[in-house]
Amino acid sequence: QVQLVESGGGLVQAGGSLGLDCAASKPTFSISAMGWFRQAPGKEREFVASITWNGGSTVYADSVKGRFTISRDNAKNTVYLQMDSLKPEDTAVYYCAARAVFTSAYNYWGRGTQVTVSS
């Protein structure tokens, strides 16, 4: 199965930027979409952004529209999340997820990377 590894998390001041990477261990021809989710302590995991693997169609949560950008590099089997104008409310563990072809649910998940935005 596909293994996902996130990287790029860290500590940043409010208003700053951070970029996250998620690399898949296997060819992505079997992946229809990849997305980013996040979970703050004591809160439910929430959707952040997604991108289809072939067409590159994107969807963003209202809370990050205009600030975050999701992209992918099919040749590198990698999805990115560029986060600008970060707010303390963005502090969470960010998870990469992948959806297999002909499915509607995300089947594969990374272990997460911590993003902390200080005031």
Side-chain angles (χ1 to χ4, degrees):
Q1 63 180 45
V2 175
Q3 303 290 323
L4 303 176
V5 180
E6 304 98 334
S7 63
L11 175 65
V12 66
Q13 293 185 358
S17 298
L18 204 61
L20 305 181
D21 301 339
C22 175
S25 63
K26 299 175 68 175
T28 53
F29 58 82
S30 63
I31 300 297
S32 65
M34 296 187 72
W36 289 95
F37 295 75
R38 66 187 183 186
Q39 186 171 21
K43 295 186 177 181
E44 296 291 323
R45 184 175 299 182
E46 64 176 345
F47 170 81
V48 175
S50 67
I51 186 168
T52 59
W53 209 244
N54 56 350
S57 299
T58 59
V59 178
Y60 294 94
D62 288 341
S63 59
V64 305
K65 286 181 179 178
R67 300 189 298 119
F68 290 11
T69 303
I70 188 171
S71 61
R72 90 285 199 225
D73 188 330
N74 297 43
K76 296 182 178 180
N77 299 322
T78 301
V79 65
Y80 307 93
L81 185 68
Q82 178 63 40
M83 304 181 292
D84 298 320
S85 301
L86 282 163
K87 305 174 181 179
E89 305 93 279
D90 296 317
T91 296
V93 176
Y94 283 69
Y95 297 90
C96 176
R99 190 172 72 209
V101 294
F102 307 119
T103 66
S104 58
Y106 285 90
N107 312 99
Y108 311 106
W109 294 83
R111 298 189 66 179
T113 185
Q114 177 70 46
V115 172
T116 302
V117 184
S118 62
S119 301

